[in-house]
Amino acid sequence: VNLRIAHAYPGCAGLLFSFLREELSQGLLLAGPPGSGKTTLLRDLAGILAGKGQYHQVALLDERGELAA
C-alpha cells in the first residue's frame, strides 16, 4: 500500500522562474525520482506564469488529474 499525501508549497518555483524567465519560452523538462517535487514545482510554476495575465497564457494537459488539486 502506497499512500501519498500531497502538500502545496506556494512560491517554491519563484527562484526557478526568476532564473529562467527568458528561456521558459523554449520549453522545460522536469526530471527526478518519485517524490522529489516535480508536480509541486510544475503546479507552482504554472500559477506564476498565469498570474494576473502579466506573463504568458498557460495550458496544462493533465491526464491523471495531479495538477488540478
Side-chain angles (χ1 to χ4, degrees):
V1 176
N2 183 7
L3 298 176
R4 180 175 177 243
I5 301 172
H7 300 299
Y9 293 98
C12 68
L15 182 61
L16 176 67
F17 179 71
S18 64
F19 184 69
L20 296 176
R21 176 174 265 155
E22 301 302 322
E23 285 80 17
L24 282 174
S25 63
Q26 297 175 9
L28 176 68
L29 174 66
L30 293 176
S36 63
K38 298 178 299 292
T39 302
T40 302
L41 184 67
L42 183 60
R43 184 182 300 129
D44 192 52
L45 186 60
I48 291 171
L49 287 170
K52 300 177 184 172
Q54 60 187 345
Y55 297 114
H56 304 283
Q57 291 182 347
V58 176
L60 294 173
L61 302 176
D62 185 16
E63 66 184 25
R64 296 191 302 179
E66 294 179 329
L67 295 173

